Amino acid sequence: MVEAILSDIDGTLVESNWLHAAAWRDAFAVIDIPLDIETLRKQIGKGGDQLIPVFVPWWKRPMVEEPLKTYRSFLFHQDYFAQVKPFPRVRDLFLRFKQSGIRTALASSTDKADLDTYMKIANISDLIDETTSADDAARSKPHPDIFSASLHKLHAKPTSVLALGDTPYDAESAGKAGIRTIGVTTGGWSRQELLDAGCIEVYQDVAELLERFDQSALTHYGPR
């Protein structure tokens, strides 16, 4: 049995990836960078510090990066946040973690205030031991900072925990911190794409992970 699970939240526990993509689309349009939802969805999972350089040339970034992040946040909260919904059986899965003695941490590139709201939406605030957000890390995913900060808060070793995420950036970020990742396809990435990114197993969603809990890496994983 693993000691702790370090879980992403956007696209993993709540349905929000396409909403974030829409907010980024609207924000980029203001600076005359037209982008479609799917192109942006494939970048969701990164923080703005890693997403913006994909589309904005280096010489332009100092002028637009902070205003763009601020405007995107405004748009997301004004137009899209109210549409965020939890995926089925999220609370049941975290109850199972608690019953199994597995500690829980949320490891997300989102801001702390939004993370607190997400926990309320998913109805898991009372089941989380630690949280790590963009406020705790110098660099967002796919850098390892957020997962490293989670390990520090839990006083845990990388080999005694697993990550749970929905994007290749979760697997890459966790892997750089020495942590293996369980993937779910609810963020729009395929099973094969997540396996190729380094996930050790992939489920359709957290409900399937709960159904197969006893056969999953959660109960059949040991130090490497």
Side-chain angles (χ1 to χ4, degrees):
M1 186 77 70
V2 298
E3 177 185 331
I5 189 81
L6 281 54
S7 180
D8 176 58
I9 192 160
D10 279 301
T12 302
L13 307 181
V14 299
E15 190 168 7
S16 57
N17 284 9
W18 284 267
L19 299 174
H20 282 295
W24 277 114
R25 176 202 58 195
D26 298 348
F28 276 115
V30 172
I31 59 170
D32 296 320
I33 299 179
L35 295 166
D36 63 80
I37 292 285
E38 184 59 14
T39 296
L40 284 159
R41 195 275 307 163
K42 290 180 178 179
Q43 299 298 321
I44 301 303
K46 300 177 179 179
D49 61 317
Q50 303 300 312
L51 184 152
I52 290 171
V54 176
F55 305 109
V56 179
W58 65 268
W59 56 267
K60 195 174 183 180
R61 273 177 236 148
M63 296 177 285
V64 304
E65 183 166 343
E66 290 307 316
L68 188 61
K69 287 193 289 188
T70 299
Y71 187 52
R72 184 226 58 97
S73 179
F74 166 76
L75 290 171
F76 181 71
H77 286 86
Q78 173 185 261
D79 298 334
Y80 299 107
F81 210 151
Q83 300 177 49
V84 175
K85 305 295 182 187
F87 287 116
R89 306 205 68 187
V90 169
R91 182 171 177 83
D92 292 339
L93 177 62
F94 278 76
L95 282 168
R96 183 65 185 273
F97 289 147
K98 186 72 71 176
Q99 293 162 0
S100 301
I102 298 174
R103 291 186 293 155
T104 56
L106 296 182
S108 171
S109 294
T110 195
D111 296 334
K112 186 180 186 305
D114 287 352
L115 188 61
D116 290 342
T117 303
Y118 283 146
M119 286 194 291
K120 293 175 183 176
I121 291 171
N123 192 23
I124 55 172
S125 299
D126 59 323
L127 300 174
I128 302 300
D129 294 304
E130 296 289 350
T131 63
T132 305
S133 67
D135 300 359
D136 299 300
R139 301 171 300 176
S140 67
K141 298 172 186 176
H143 293 287
D145 304 33
I146 288 171
F147 283 107
S148 296
S150 292
L151 287 174
H152 179 74
K153 288 186 176 185
L154 288 170
H155 304 287
K157 295 179 180 179
T159 53
S160 67
V161 308
L162 285 172
L164 174 62
D166 67 296
T167 73
Y169 314 119
D170 292 312
E172 181 180 350
S173 176
K176 289 175 179 175
I179 302 167
R180 299 289 182 89
T181 301
I182 295 174
V184 288
T185 63
T186 40
W189 297 89
S190 71
R191 180 178 185 276
Q192 192 58 53
E193 286 171 326
L194 293 173
L195 290 172
D196 289 345
C199 289
I200 57 173
E201 55 187 24
V202 177
Y203 297 91
Q204 179 178 336
D205 53 20
V206 295
E208 185 188 10
L209 174 57
L210 176 61
E211 291 169 5
R212 298 176 59 187
F213 192 96
D214 290 332
Q215 293 77 45
S216 74
L218 294 165
T219 59
H220 295 83
Y221 180 79
R224 301 186 299 279

